[in-house]
């Protein structure tokens, strides 16, 4: 796998997420699973993708993330924060 453009951490409650951003096509792997597989709720998926959509960068970066601790709501918000921080770092 190529070297990531950036690596960030997002935290919320007891959830910790390590996010790596790569040049790519918009693919997202969360603990080795797809976004749709990891987060069953459409609302959670939309919340996670909000930083990418609001910056107009859909389909430009691949994201891999390691999610630990907490529940799905905390992980959703921690991942969202990690993605936002990665985009800020690249910009």
């Amino acid at each position: 796998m190529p070297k990531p453009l950036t690596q960030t951490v997002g935290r919320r409650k007891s959830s910790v997420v390590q996010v790596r951003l790569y040049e790519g096509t918009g693919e997202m792997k969360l603990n080795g699973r797809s976004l749709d597989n990891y987060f069953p709720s459409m609302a959670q998926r939309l919340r996670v993708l909000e930083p990418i959509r609001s910056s107009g960068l859909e389909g430009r970066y691949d994201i891999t993330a390691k999610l630990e601790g907490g529940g799905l709501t905390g992980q959703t918000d921690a991942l969202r924060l990690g993605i936002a921080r990665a985009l800020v770092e690249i910009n």
Side-chain angles (χ1 to χ4, degrees):
M1 185 160 248
K3 184 178 177 188
L5 295 173
T6 186
Q7 181 173 334
T8 58
V9 174
R11 293 182 186 89
R12 171 83 165 63
K13 293 182 165 183
S14 60
S15 299
V16 179
V17 178
Q18 297 174 351
V19 176
R20 291 185 178 144
L21 222 67
Y22 302 89
E23 287 287 342
T25 60
E27 185 178 335
M28 190 176 289
K29 289 290 181 185
L30 313 173
N31 290 352
R33 296 162 46 189
S34 70
L35 177 68
D36 295 341
N37 188 316
Y38 197 89
F39 291 113
S41 165
M42 178 61 82
Q44 290 170 327
R45 292 192 297 258
L46 289 174
R47 189 155 175 81
V48 165
L49 294 172
E50 192 171 11
I52 298 168
R53 284 186 296 113
S54 65
S55 59
L57 298 172
E58 298 101 326
R60 188 162 172 197
Y61 299 109
D62 288 346
I63 297 172
T64 62
K66 182 180 175 187
L67 297 90
E68 295 178 341
L72 284 180
T73 301
Q75 289 183 355
T76 300
D77 290 340
L79 178 58
R80 181 176 181 228
L81 176 61
I83 291 171
R85 284 180 172 172
L87 293 174
V88 165
E89 210 171 283
I90 286 176
N91 193 13

